[in-house]
């Protein structure tokens, strides 16, 4: 690996005592180190209010990775020695002075040429203040590069996202800002472009002449866990649809970029978001439906409903499920519905994209006892990773009947290595200065404007029927009806190594 692929970097984590740092960031840094993607010239400074020491942080780092330690990697203590801690108050200028002193010393000790990643792993209300203090107190004024990584949620609606953006932009240029959407770090989400643009067989069919509808599902078995307070202000629409679901829609629907640069890819994704047909409140109920889980059963155990969760209003109108029909008004997609659905406490954990092709104009097999199955291309994002293509073949034996034939590619069984965690890739991309898999402000601007119409309408119209689905099911009945009235149904979400049940 060259110096270009192993940049000497200093990472500052704001919120180093928190959940995200422990569960995602420390293990990702360890994996990068383990795979030789970090040069020895790296240091991590964790900051938060707690009066921890370097040793407390190193211990926490060790605890967070101990389940994943590779026995072939040298002394783990050597890895932990790259971590430092500073008790910090984000609003006090003197904290930034102390931080700068430490960073300059570490640049010197680890021979780092002033390259700095500032990772905001804390509540968004602090992002603007931190960005502005980093600049005013000279922490970004180095010989190397400075980059700001911003966690979600990036705003609550368009006005708040815009305000946050303006605050950050006063201190950092757009190309220094890395807004995390962890779905963009997933292996199979990154594979969408390759499947589409590296295969001659798909691109000619990728339009309204051959595709009848597209279904994107991201369902979870978990409830809101200990995030009831945050979720009450967010709901599934802001938590999942505004970011992850719309990102997947734009990757599936975009035109081929003229080259694979961040700007060109982004420019095509933005065109999709601009072409989304805006929702009119008067017809919104025909396009978007919401749900909230009530008590139910998961794996044979009773679970409570959303309204009984901690920090949740017992009369809450917050949606834990959304299904929607999107229309993209351009030449390629006019008339093709994109159905999306996402929810908590559903019967399985699964993210899949199903592309359903149109029937043949004249099907020679209609006279047989059974009709042919529509061709489906299924992209398995998680937990299994792979692709399934469903074709029709001849039933074996002296018969003219057709039978569905399933062609599977499963990452999990073909590549024995585990695919990297999304955070690991995104952190590495940030070190390399590659913004492709981060959300640009223009994308957020358009997605919030699209979502705001729906959330405003829902806020004004309290749902009378909540809870309307039982925990452990696939959501409310209205989700099935959304497709049924167009003559479609949700395809089953089987794993890529299972036989598809027709
Ligand atoms: N956890 C997750 O899985 C995910 C989290 N996110 C986002 O990441 C961010 C962090 O989330 P999470 O780690 O869960 O949150 P936590 O509440 O677990 O952590 C918050 C961190 O901020 C620190 N903090 C709070 N106030 C201050 C302050 N005034 N000055 C300095 N430090 C402060 C806390 O430390 P201390 O109390 O010691 O000051 C703590 O380290 C949020 O924006 C969240 O939405 C996004 C996706 C997933
Ligand atoms: O961003 C979020 O995503 C997770 C789901 O992520 P996944 O990688 O497990 O699919 C969701 O649980 C969380 O509410 C949301 O904030």
């Amino acid at each position: 690996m060259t110096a270009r692929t192993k940049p000497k970097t200093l990472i500052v984590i704001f919120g180093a005592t928190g959940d995200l740092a422990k569960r995602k960031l420390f293990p990702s840094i360890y994996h990068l180190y383990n795979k030789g993607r970090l040069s020895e010239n790296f240091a991590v400074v964790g900051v938060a209010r707690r009066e921890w020491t370097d040793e407390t942080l190193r211990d926490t780092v060790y605890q967070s990775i101990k389940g994943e330690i590779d026995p072939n990697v040298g002394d783990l203590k050597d890895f932990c020695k790259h971590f430092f801690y500073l008790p910090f108050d984000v609003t006090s200028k003197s904290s930034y002075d102390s931080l700068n002193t430490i960073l300059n010393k570490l640049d010197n000790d680890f021979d780092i040429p002033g390259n700095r990643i500032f990772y905001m792993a804390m509540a968004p209300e602090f992002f603007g203040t931190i960005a502005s203090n980093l600049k005013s107190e000279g922490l970004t004024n180095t010989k190397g590069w400075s980059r700001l990584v911003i966690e979600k949620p990036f705003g609550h609606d368009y006005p708040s996202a815009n305000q946050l953006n303006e605050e950050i932009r006063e201190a950092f240029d757009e190309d220094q800002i890395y807004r995390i959407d962890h779905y963009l770090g997933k292996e199979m989400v990154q594979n969408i472009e390759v499947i589409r643009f590296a295969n001659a067989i798909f691109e000619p069919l990728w339009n309204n002449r051959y595709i009848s509808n597209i279904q994107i599902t991201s369902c979870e078995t978990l409830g809101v866990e200990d995030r009831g307070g945050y979720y009450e202000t967010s709901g599934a629409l802001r938590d999942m649809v505004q970011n992850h679901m719309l990102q997947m829609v734009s990757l599936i629907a975009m035109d081929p970029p003229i080259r694979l640069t961040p700007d060109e890819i982004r420019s095509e994704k933005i065109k999709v978001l601009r072409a989304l047909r805006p929702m009119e409140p008067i017809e919104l109920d025909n396009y978007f439906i919401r749900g909230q889980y009530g008590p139910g059963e998961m794996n044979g155990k009773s679970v409570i409903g959303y309204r009984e969760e901690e920090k949740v209003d017992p009369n809450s109108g917050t949606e834990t499920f959304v299904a929607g029909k999107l229309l993209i008004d351009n030449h390629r997609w006019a008339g093709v519905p994109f159905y999306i659905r996402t929810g908590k406490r559903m019967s399985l954990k699964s993210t899949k994209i199903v592309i359903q092709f149109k029937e043949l104009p004249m099907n020679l097999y209609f006279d047989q006892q059974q009709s042919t199955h529509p061709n489906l291309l299924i992209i398995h994002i998680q937990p299994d990773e792979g692709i399934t293509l469903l074709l029709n073949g001849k039933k074996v034996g002296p018969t003219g009947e057709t039978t569905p034939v399933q062609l599977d590619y499963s990452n999990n069984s073909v590549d024995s290595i585990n695919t990297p965690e999304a955070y690991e890739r995104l952190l590495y991309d940030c070190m390399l200065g590659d913004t492709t898999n981060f959300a640009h402000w223009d994308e957020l601007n358009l997605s919030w404007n699209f979502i705001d119409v729906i959330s405003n309408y829902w806020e004004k119209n309290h749902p009378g029927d909540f809870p309307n689905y039982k925990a452990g099911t696939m959501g409310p009945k209205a989700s099935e009806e959304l497709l049924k009235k167009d003559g479609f149904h949700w395809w089953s979400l089987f794993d890529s190594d299972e036989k598809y049940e027709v």
Side-chain angles (χ1 to χ4, degrees):
M1 283 205 165
T2 64
R4 199 190 64 78
T5 54
K6 285 173 86 159
K8 300 175 176 182
T9 310
L10 212 163
I11 305 171
V12 183
I13 301 179
F14 290 87
T17 58
D19 177 70
L20 183 74
K22 237 177 291 174
R23 286 197 310 110
K24 301 289 184 189
L25 304 184
F26 302 149
S28 297
I29 295 170
Y30 173 68
H31 289 142
L32 290 173
Y33 179 78
N34 192 355
K35 289 176 186 162
R37 294 197 173 132
L38 275 184
S39 79
E40 282 295 330
N41 309 82
F42 86 96
V44 180
V45 180
V47 307
R49 283 168 308 184
R50 261 162 261 192
E51 293 293 329
W52 282 11
T53 60
D54 292 349
E55 281 317 310
T56 341
L57 179 66
R58 288 173 191 177
D59 217 49
T60 310
V61 171
Y62 176 79
Q63 295 301 331
S64 73
I65 58 179
K66 75 169 188 250
E68 325 186 15
I69 292 167
D70 181 343
N72 299 318
V73 174
D75 191 350
L76 201 72
K77 291 216 174 86
D78 289 344
F79 170 71
C80 289
K81 276 186 200 146
H82 292 258
F83 286 76
F84 301 84
Y85 184 80
L86 176 71
F88 196 85
D89 174 1
V90 291
T91 54
S92 138
K93 300 246 178 194
S94 65
S95 284
Y96 293 83
D97 282 344
S98 316
L99 179 60
N100 209 11
T101 308
I102 292 183
L103 299 188
N104 289 333
K105 179 172 182 312
L106 292 175
D107 274 352
N108 203 32
D109 293 354
F110 286 86
D111 185 24
I112 298 170
N115 296 336
R116 292 178 181 177
I117 292 179
F118 299 101
Y119 198 116
M120 308 281 128
M122 50 193 290
E125 61 258 35
F126 298 117
F127 296 167
T129 314
I130 299 174
S132 141
N133 284 336
L134 286 175
K135 177 153 190 202
S136 68
E137 303 315 297
L139 281 82
T140 54
N141 188 14
T142 68
K143 289 201 185 102
W145 43 256
S146 294
R147 296 175 185 149
L148 186 71
V149 181
I150 306 270
E151 264 302 335
K152 67 173 288 197
F154 198 95
H156 176 77
D157 50 16
Y158 171 74
S160 57
N162 188 39
Q163 188 189 336
L164 173 58
N165 196 51
E166 281 178 1
E167 285 167 15
I168 291 168
R169 285 298 308 276
E170 282 187 14
F172 288 84
D173 293 336
E174 179 64 34
D175 63 2
Q176 294 178 289
I177 303 171
Y178 292 68
R179 299 179 193 82
I180 294 262
D181 183 314
H182 78 279
Y183 268 56
L184 294 177
K186 290 186 190 282
E187 176 69 25
M188 288 306 294
V189 172
Q190 297 192 348
N191 208 339
I192 293 173
E193 281 172 42
V194 184
I195 294 166
R196 289 194 51 199
F197 304 133
N199 291 300
I201 58 169
F202 292 131
E203 196 46 34
L205 308 181
W206 213 261
N207 55 53
N208 51 11
R209 286 179 66 198
Y210 298 102
I211 290 180
S212 85
N213 73 91
I214 293 179
Q215 304 178 8
I216 305 181
T217 300
S218 187
C219 49
E220 298 184 73
T221 48
L222 291 179
V224 285
E225 308 282 287
D226 52 1
R227 293 167 75 217
Y230 152 75
Y231 205 81
E232 275 288 88
T233 62
S234 151
L237 187 70
R238 293 184 176 99
D239 189 45
M240 292 292 291
V241 179
Q242 177 271 328
N243 38 50
H244 313 318
M245 302 303 281
L246 288 183
Q247 282 291 345
M248 288 191 280
V249 169
S250 31
L251 287 168
I252 287 287
M254 72 184 193
D255 277 352
I258 52 175
R259 56 184 80 79
L260 290 176
T261 60
D263 283 351
E264 296 300 345
I265 295 170
R266 179 180 304 135
S267 139
E268 296 307 332
K269 285 165 70 191
I270 285 169
K271 283 191 213 154
V272 173
L273 296 171
R274 283 173 47 207
L276 277 181
R277 186 179 299 175
M279 292 288 120
E280 294 296 335
I282 192 159
E283 52 175 16
L284 217 145
D285 290 336
N286 297 328
Y287 286 87
F288 268 82
I289 67 103
R290 55 188 156 159
Q292 186 190 78
Y293 65 83
E297 260 198 20
M298 312 275 317
N299 296 324
K301 286 199 183 129
S302 305
V303 294
I304 55 173
Y306 177 70
R307 289 178 175 184
E308 288 81 60
E309 301 276 11
E310 238 176 81
K311 299 193 191 142
V312 170
D313 177 352
N315 295 311
S316 174
T318 302
E319 77 287 350
T320 60
F321 176 97
V322 175
K325 168 176 159 181
L326 306 173
L327 293 171
I328 298 173
D329 289 331
N330 63 17
H331 265 91
R332 188 188 281 265
W333 295 115
V336 180
F338 281 64
Y339 300 106
I340 56 169
R341 77 180 149 163
T342 181
K344 293 206 180 276
R345 280 279 188 243
M346 294 175 66
S347 50
L348 77 168
K349 167 82 179 166
S350 179
T351 303
K352 307 238 184 280
I353 301 175
V354 181
I355 291 120
Q356 177 176 343
F357 291 87
K358 287 187 171 167
E359 302 285 345
L360 287 165
M362 195 195 87
N363 192 328
L364 293 169
Y365 295 91
F366 269 156
D367 287 346
Q368 306 297 331
Q369 282 168 339
Q370 62 180 76
S371 59
T372 54
H373 192 278
N375 294 136
L376 302 179
L377 171 67
I378 303 165
I379 304 176
H380 305 264
I381 309 280
Q382 64 180 15
D384 56 315
E385 297 179 345
I387 310 162
T388 295
L389 187 58
L390 217 79
L391 306 172
N392 288 292
K394 180 184 161 301
K395 244 189 191 165
V396 177
T399 162
E401 281 177 46
T402 63
T403 187
V405 175
Q406 180 180 328
L407 306 183
D408 284 317
Y409 165 78
S410 162
N411 266 5
N412 315 57
S413 51
V414 176
D415 296 342
S416 53
I417 46 165
N418 282 335
T419 56
E421 239 266 46
Y423 275 91
E424 180 188 330
R425 279 169 202 282
L426 295 175
L427 206 50
Y428 187 56
D429 281 353
C430 178
M431 285 180 200
L432 298 183
D434 183 348
T435 53
T436 311
N437 295 309
F438 293 84
H440 189 276
W441 166 244
D442 293 347
E443 294 170 82
L444 284 151
N445 173 344
L446 291 161
S447 59
W448 273 124
N449 274 301
F450 179 79
I451 290 297
D452 281 357
V453 178
I454 306 167
S455 49
N456 288 339
Y457 175 79
W458 282 353
E459 263 152 39
K460 282 189 201 123
N461 298 277
H462 197 271
D465 63 344
F466 275 9
N468 60 357
Y469 71 98
K470 272 192 187 163
T473 66
M474 283 307 280
K477 222 165 155 232
S479 154
E480 302 297 331
E481 280 152 14
L482 185 71
L483 275 71
K484 203 167 166 194
K485 61 183 187 230
D486 295 341
F488 301 124
H489 60 85
W490 292 106
W491 291 104
S492 84
L493 300 174
F494 71 110
D495 283 351
S496 54
D497 54 3
E498 275 173 31
K499 176 89 181 83
Y500 187 73
E501 292 296 332
V502 184

